[in-house]
Amino acid sequence: QVQLVESGGGLVQPGGSLRLSCTASGRTVSSYTMAWFRQAPGKEREFVLGVSRNGGTTRSADSVKGRFTIARDNAKNTVYLQMDSLKPEDTAVYYCAGDYSSGIPITRTAYDYWGQGTQVTVSS
């Protein structure tokens, strides 16, 4: 199986930025549809942003559109989530997910591979 490990979470003030990293082992990230999900306490895990297998298409939740971007670094076998203009409501555990899919599913059950999650807290 593919192993995914997230890093880069932490505490930031509203309006600040963070970059999360997801490093894969066992297969290059370019072979998979990659996505980021997040889960706040007491809420369901929700889709945030994804990129297609070939990197030509992205899909974003309306809540993060224009603020978050996803990028690949295939040489490092890593996918990034760049988060700008962070808001308190962005506070959640962020998960990296991958699937051998031709599209970009938004449902968590569509993804076979998951990281352990990294905490992002946005607070003054």
Side-chain angles (χ1 to χ4, degrees):
Q1 293 185 340
V2 177
Q3 185 76 22
L4 304 176
V5 179
E6 304 100 330
S7 63
L11 174 65
V12 296
Q13 295 185 0
S17 297
L18 280 176
R19 189 180 73 165
L20 307 183
S21 300
C22 173
T23 300
S25 62
R27 184 73 68 88
T28 177
V29 296
S30 65
S31 298
Y32 294 86
T33 296
M34 301 297 298
W36 290 90
F37 287 73
R38 67 185 182 186
Q39 187 168 21
K43 296 185 178 180
E44 298 294 320
R45 190 172 300 185
E46 64 176 353
F47 175 84
V48 177
L49 197 152
V51 60
S52 63
R53 188 187 303 171
N54 63 7
T57 305
T58 60
R59 188 177 187 179
S60 298
D62 289 340
S63 59
V64 305
K65 195 168 297 182
R67 299 188 298 120
F68 292 7
T69 56
I70 190 168
R72 297 179 184 268
D73 187 338
N74 291 334
K76 298 183 181 296
N77 207 26
T78 299
V79 63
Y80 301 97
L81 179 65
Q82 178 66 46
M83 304 184 293
D84 298 319
S85 301
L86 283 161
K87 304 175 180 179
E89 51 263 44
D90 295 320
T91 296
V93 176
Y94 283 72
Y95 297 89
C96 177
D99 186 63
Y100 194 73
S101 174
S102 60
I104 310 177
I106 64 172
T107 57
R108 54 173 290 274
T109 55
Y111 291 85
D112 292 328
Y113 307 108
W114 292 87
Q116 83 289 346
T118 185
Q119 176 71 47
V120 173
T121 302
V122 185
S123 179
S124 299

